[in-house]
Amino acid sequence: MLRGLFKLTWVELKIFLREPMGAIGTIGVPVLMFVVLGRIFQKRAELSADVTTFVAVFLPIFATILIALSNVLSLTAIISIYREHGILKRLKATPLRAQTILITHVIVKLLLTVATLFLLVLAGKTFYTAEVQAHPLSFAAAMLLSMLSILSIGFVIASIVPTARFAQPVGSVILYPMLAFSGLFFPLDALPEPVQVAANLLPLTHAVGLLQGIWTGGAWSDHLWQVAALVANFVVCTVLAGKIFRWE
Amino acid sequence: MAATNVIEVTGLRKTYGKLVAVDDVSFEVREGEIFGLIGPNGAGKTTSMECVEGIRKIDGGAVSVLALDPWKDSQELQDRIGVQLQQAQLQKRIKVWEAVDLWASLYPSTVDGDRLLEQLGLDDKRDAWFMTLSGGQKQRLFIALALIHDPDLVFLDELTTGLDPQARHAIWDLVRDIKTRGKTVFLTTHLMEEAERLCDRVAVIEHGRIIAMDTPAALVREHCPERAAIFQADGEVDAAVFERIPGIASVDSGDSGFTLKGRGDDFVSEVIHAISESSIRVRDFRTETPSLEDVFLKLTGHSIRD
Ligand SMILES: Nc1ncnc2c1ncn2[C@@H]1O[C@H](COP(=O)(O)OP(=O)(O)OP(=O)(O)O)[C@@H](O)[C@H]1O
Ligand SMILES: [Mg+2]
């Protein structure tokens, strides 16, 4: 069913690395930012316990979510460029399916993300003293699930935006409010009831909840509801994207 | 035994908003033939072809390709057809060999990609990025991609546009070769010479409707049956001699000599007969036979290049 998936993924990965800013932009910049930010806060950590919490709890989650969001934006940008330039139309005249093309780009993004995270962890080990309570594999699983669920929002946007110029603002308009109400920056309990309900409908909120929980050593059984929400979001968005996918 | 139809189109209609691009178009393409669609810019050639390929959804009528519904059975159909689109792009930084390799991985069975590139004169561009290819080279790559899986039915939308004469001849050979191997070809072209040389049958489309369809020779016979004999004669000649030639339609005499127009397969020999009967001394005898270009001009009222 997913004929061509492996070849296409391999080709897309090579193409991506050939882009002038490809590897540096996606892998280099986040790692550099992480190190610089960490350096700055590390110095203050000696003064305040709050900052330690910030570095130990907030920063990893924030980095994960930011990577996920940048993946969404880059996915929508690539697909809309392919659509605008008629590459998708050419691919339609082959046995390739829309899903295969989307999944290909997801795999490329995940591979790059893994590379980025690997470097981040290395950098973290070098520069941070903060203790990590989470089991690495457990946290990796939570990340993978969150990443896929957030990316699936990107499928839907990527399936319909006509041009690359549209993709960026549309993506931002949808993603940044989600980020604001995800509970990452301030606790949701502080918000009025209706806003809380709305926030709980957003997949990002559940991603943040799950990541925070697992990162601080929580058990998966305490987060079943969030896992279910993320899986449901992924399934709905993927099916919807397959239905509304426009080739040109 | 009648050949089976590989493509059957009945009453095809396609609109873009208010614009009716294709209206009540019907034709069939028989197994093993080369069928050409010709018509001026914007006539609806690409639209018709893309409806048949399953790339565009039709608004009315019925289309059947290899006994499949091109829209509903798109997946199954794509395995068996090869498509070259009039306008297409690939990823900027994909290499030529990677594109061929990728396409090869999409189909159950394929031909030798390197040989195909060689036939199309692209072997020295194997490692070039798509974005660095010239227009004609891109065109040739797309033809390679259409043929990589040796499909039963090949669609070529303006197959030689932008190609130099050498490449054009190479591709004509390739298309004839496809036909020799029993495959079917459906093409569009703006070159009447190309249609005449390659196509077993052509359909002329204008404003979204088919206005004529037959073999090139039959179209010429039907729409432009007149041939012309043009010559210069020495001394005084009585034009009345020519008026008696069977099938004669017009006799013109000017500074450059006589132009006789008439119909019938024997017309030219009748002219020669009349000349020798009357012992007229002739310098410079030539004939003009109408071509598909003339048919096109007559049917659409303008040249294909307008
Ligand atoms: N995607 C589209 N959206 C709107 N109108 C379109 C679209 N594609 C084609 N048209 C219109 O439909 C008509 C037929 O176009 P089509 O591309 O089928 O012509 P064509 O015969 O292939 O012309 P050409 O010789 O220039 O390739 C034209 O008037 C064109 O403007
Ligand atoms: Mg066209």
Side-chain angles (χ1 to χ4, degrees):
Chain A
M1 151 172 179
L2 296 176
R3 217 191 291 165
L5 181 66
F6 177 74
K7 255 302 161 30
L8 187 59
T9 307
W10 179 228
V11 168
E12 290 290 354
L13 190 63
K14 284 195 281 187
I15 293 173
F16 184 80
L17 294 176
R18 280 175 199 153
E19 302 221 354
M21 280 299 289
I24 300 172
T26 28
I27 303 180
V29 172
V31 173
L32 202 70
M33 266 181 56
F34 186 72
V35 171
V36 170
L37 273 181
R39 279 303 229 193
I40 295 171
F41 288 114
Q42 193 76 37
K43 290 217 176 81
R44 304 212 187 135
E46 288 134 28
L47 306 173
S48 146
D50 280 353
V51 178
T52 316
T53 318
F54 175 83
V55 173
V57 179
F58 176 82
L59 207 51
I61 313 295
F62 187 52
T64 308
I65 297 285
L66 273 193
I67 292 172
L69 295 191
S70 91
N71 280 347
V72 171
L73 290 180
S74 124
L75 177 82
T76 51
I78 292 179
I79 299 290
S80 56
I81 288 172
Y82 280 19
R83 178 175 296 116
E84 199 175 349
H85 292 187
I87 300 172
L88 284 184
K89 185 172 168 189
R90 184 60 194 85
L91 293 177
K92 173 145 177 66
T94 69
L96 266 181
R97 285 166 191 266
Q99 282 92 337
T100 312
I101 298 170
L102 288 172
I103 293 173
T104 294
H105 288 281
V106 170
I107 297 177
V108 171
K109 295 278 157 276
L110 288 180
L111 286 175
L112 292 168
T113 302
V114 166
T116 313
L117 289 174
F118 180 73
L119 291 175
L120 283 183
V121 169
L122 269 188
K125 277 218 165 27
T126 320
F127 296 108
Y128 297 128
T129 48
E131 288 229 350
V132 176
Q133 289 148 326
H135 190 283
L137 278 185
S138 191
F139 187 66
M143 268 181 62
L144 183 68
L145 178 60
S146 305
M147 201 74 85
L148 283 177
S149 193
I150 294 172
L151 265 175
S152 69
I153 306 170
F155 293 178
V156 177
I157 307 174
S159 293
I160 46 174
V161 281
T163 65
R165 229 187 280 182
F166 259 107
Q168 191 74 22
V170 169
S172 309
V173 159
I174 296 179
L175 296 176
Y176 290 123
M178 280 199 200
L179 183 59
F181 294 105
S182 64
L184 183 63
F185 299 105
F186 41 87
L188 287 179
D189 309 346
L191 297 170
E193 183 100 8
V195 181
Q196 276 191 43
V197 172
N200 270 308
L201 290 174
L202 302 176
L204 221 58
T205 311
H206 300 288
V208 168
L210 177 68
L211 288 168
Q212 277 175 340
I214 301 296
W215 182 252
T216 51
W220 281 80
S221 53
D222 295 336
H223 296 280
L224 289 182
W225 162 240
Q226 283 155 341
V227 170
L230 289 174
V231 170
N233 178 66
F234 177 78
V235 172
V236 169
C237 285
T238 308
V239 170
L240 183 65
K243 289 234 187 300
I244 61 176
F245 194 84
R246 287 181 32 186
W247 295 87
E248 54 174 322
Chain B
M1 195 188 81
T4 40
N5 290 336
V6 176
I7 300 174
E8 274 173 5
V9 176
T10 13
L12 172 64
R13 180 181 170 84
K14 175 74 197 174
T15 56
Y16 298 110
K18 275 194 187 143
L19 179 93
V20 182
V22 173
D23 192 12
D24 195 21
V25 158
S26 303
F27 62 91
E28 76 285 336
V29 177
R30 299 171 194 150
E31 188 171 10
E33 79 173 344
I34 302 180
F35 181 83
L37 203 52
I38 59 178
N41 288 140
K45 301 181 293 297
T46 299
T47 303
S48 307
M49 191 175 249
E50 289 181 351
C51 288
V52 176
E53 290 160 351
I55 295 179
R56 285 186 192 284
K57 199 172 180 181
I58 61 176
D59 293 317
V63 179
S64 150
V65 183
L66 298 165
L68 297 168
D69 176 333
W71 189 255
K72 293 204 186 85
D73 311 320
S74 172
Q75 210 76 31
E76 210 183 329
L77 181 65
Q78 297 306 335
D79 268 357
R80 298 176 57 195
I81 65 172
V83 172
Q84 175 242 321
L85 301 172
Q86 182 180 354
Q87 270 176 341
Q89 293 289 321
L90 291 180
Q91 294 91 323
K92 280 187 188 170
R93 291 180 175 79
I94 194 170
K95 289 181 182 174
V96 167
W97 76 265
E98 286 171 342
V100 173
D101 191 42
L102 173 63
W103 252 251
S105 77
L106 301 178
Y107 299 96
S109 71
T110 54
V111 297
D112 182 359
D114 284 335
R115 233 204 104 210
L116 199 54
L117 287 181
E118 202 179 304
Q119 276 179 311
L120 287 161
L122 279 177
D123 35 344
D124 57 335
K125 287 284 170 189
R126 272 187 99 251
D127 292 316
W129 287 355
F130 179 77
M131 65 191 269
T132 65
L133 298 180
S134 76
Q137 289 164 345
K138 286 179 184 165
Q139 174 87 347
R140 283 184 267 159
L141 173 58
F142 280 118
I143 291 177
L145 298 183
L147 302 179
I148 186 72
H149 55 300
D150 200 20
D152 298 333
L153 170 60
V154 185
F155 294 88
L156 303 166
D157 197 353
E158 299 201 5
L159 64 164
T160 57
T161 300
L163 295 186
D164 60 40
Q166 197 187 345
R168 185 171 298 152
H169 280 278
I171 282 166
W172 286 347
D173 286 342
L174 209 65
V175 172
R176 284 196 202 98
D177 184 48
I178 298 171
K179 179 185 148 90
T180 319
R181 285 183 298 116
K183 318 270 178 179
T184 311
V185 181
F186 179 10
L187 58 85
T188 77
T189 179
H190 279 148
L191 294 176
M192 292 303 113
E193 187 197 353
E194 183 165 280
E196 227 159 6
R197 279 176 180 230
L198 289 181
C199 296
D200 296 307
R201 290 189 309 131
V202 296
V204 184
I205 185 169
E206 195 188 24
H207 300 308
R209 288 171 174 275
I210 289 188
I211 52 177
M213 180 160 57
D214 214 325
T215 64
L219 284 177
V220 171
R221 223 178 298 126
E222 185 187 341
H223 297 281
C224 298
E226 286 191 353
R227 288 122 202 265
I230 300 159
F231 56 88
Q232 288 188 320
D234 279 343
E236 283 293 299
V237 174
D238 180 9
V241 176
F242 304 129
E243 305 283 1
R244 289 192 290 273
I245 295 173
I248 189 85
S250 68
V251 180
D252 288 318
S253 60
D255 292 344
S256 52
F258 286 93
T259 303
L260 310 186
K261 285 186 178 163
R263 293 167 184 230
D265 290 342
D266 295 335
F267 178 68
V268 174
S269 50
E270 293 289 356
V271 171
I272 294 171
H273 185 66
I275 289 172
S276 66
E277 282 276 282
S278 324
S279 309
I280 298 168
R281 285 176 57 85
V282 165
R283 278 180 288 135
D284 230 18
F285 186 95
R286 68 192 167 90
T287 61
E288 266 178 15
T289 333
S291 65
L292 205 53
E293 185 95 44
D294 301 295
V295 174
F296 191 87
L297 197 69
K298 187 162 177 212
L299 286 175
T300 66
H302 45 80
S303 153
I304 189 111
R305 271 174 276 276
D306 288 349

